[in-house]
Amino acid sequence: MSVSDLGPWSLEVRADLMHTMADLLDDPNPIHLDPEAVSRLGLGDRVINQGPTNCGYVVSMLLDAYPGATIRSLRLRLVGQVRGGDRVVAGGRVESSERAGDGRLVRCAVWLDVERGARAVEGTATVELGEAS
Amino acid sequence: MRLADTELPGSTFVVAPEDDRRYAEVVAGRAEDDESANPLWAFIAALTGTGLDITGLFALADCDVAQDGPMLGACDLEYARPLEVERPYRVEAVIAGLERKHGRSGAFDLMRVRAALSDEAGEVATCLTTYVIPRRQ
């Protein structure tokens, strides 16, 4: 597990919320909804979390670390799967910080790991902090 | 298959406050009491606002969502301004490329879709999404 300046932020992934996300995405992909379909595709026996949800955990970690901040960029690679029942841990490391107008621009490495498992998301984020930061 | 530069129909996308709250529950995020929307809606708009549903989008690449199990590989998002709920955004999208790769588990395609969200004041966000499409022989 990487040393984290931001986070750690964690939660247990609920399979029932994959149905909510499938509805928001209008995404019928059964790998998110049906363990038997996952098994038929040779991808294991637990439903697989939607990618936008895994990316969203990283955003939630950033906005917990910097309440009220504005995200300017996100470059995220999905490098592993997250499954229903997994506990995930999001974190980040500040790479640079510079003044920008009345605020600051903070560039971070960010990630999402499956606890006792593999990395699921990695990338970078640029966050703009306001005047009071 | 030649798909690069194929323009998708596009659409108008609006983040409903109730959907923003539902997404906040999914990602354990902060549900703000103002007009701001979660930044990841730019990705969701890029995915669902192309004017094609997911089945139709992948069908362009000869991919059956139910049989092939395509997955998200990467997203590159840039924001000019924060997104807001209840504000209509025009989504313009184009297939930026379809490239065959070979990995340990066999052949797969990388399909890249570039989308831009704009309102009457100009561009709000862009999203380059890379999808991984397994190609079972």
Side-chain angles (χ1 to χ4, degrees), chain B residues 29-101:
Chain B
R30 293 167 180 267
E32 305 291 352
D33 259 349
D34 57 18
E35 72 280 0
S36 65
N38 190 291
L40 253 292
W41 279 105
F43 170 68
I44 297 172
L47 179 62
T48 64
T50 62
L52 299 174
D53 62 16
I54 287 178
T55 303
L57 176 64
F58 284 106
L60 290 177
D62 258 348
C63 169
D64 181 316
V65 169
Q67 295 299 316
D68 299 326
M71 285 177 280
L72 175 64
C75 63
D76 289 355
L77 290 146
E78 300 280 346
Y79 300 88
R81 283 176 283 138
L83 299 178
E84 298 178 8
V85 296
E86 295 191 291
R87 175 179 287 275
Y89 295 108
R90 177 71 194 157
V91 181
E92 295 174 300
V94 61
I95 295 181
L98 182 69
E99 187 180 4
R100 177 61 51 91
K101 297 281 189 181

Side-chain angles (χ1 to χ4, degrees), chain A residues 9 21 23-25 27-29 41 51-53 56-57 59-60 63-64 70-78 81, chain B residues 19 22-23 26-30 40 43 47-48 54-55 65 67 70-80 82:
Chain A
W9 178 104
M21 197 61 187
D23 184 40
L24 291 172
L25 293 170
D27 178 2
N29 193 335
L41 289 166
T53 306
Y57 297 149
V59 170
S60 295
L63 295 179
D64 267 9
T70 301
I71 292 182
R72 288 299 179 194
S73 72
L74 287 168
R75 297 181 188 283
L76 302 175
R77 291 196 311 132
L78 286 92
Q81 292 169 345
Chain B
D19 286 345
R22 294 171 76 201
Y23 183 63
V26 169
V27 298
R30 293 167 180 267
L40 253 292
F43 170 68
L47 179 62
T48 64
I54 287 178
T55 303
V65 169
Q67 295 299 316
M71 285 177 280
L72 175 64
C75 63
D76 289 355
L77 290 146
E78 300 280 346
Y79 300 88

Side-chain angles (χ1 to χ4, degrees), chain A residues 97-117:
Chain A
S97 175
E98 62 188 60
R99 290 205 67 78
D102 292 331
R104 279 194 298 146
L105 273 184
V106 177
R107 293 183 175 82
C108 317
V110 293
W111 57 81
L112 179 77
D113 292 331
V114 176
E115 195 172 75
R116 289 186 291 277

Side-chain angles (χ1 to χ4, degrees), chain A residues 54 77-82 88 112-114 118-122:
Chain A
N54 298 340
R77 291 196 311 132
L78 286 92
V79 295
Q81 292 169 345
V82 172
V88 291
L112 179 77
D113 292 331
V114 176
R119 180 143 295 180
V121 178
E122 63 186 16

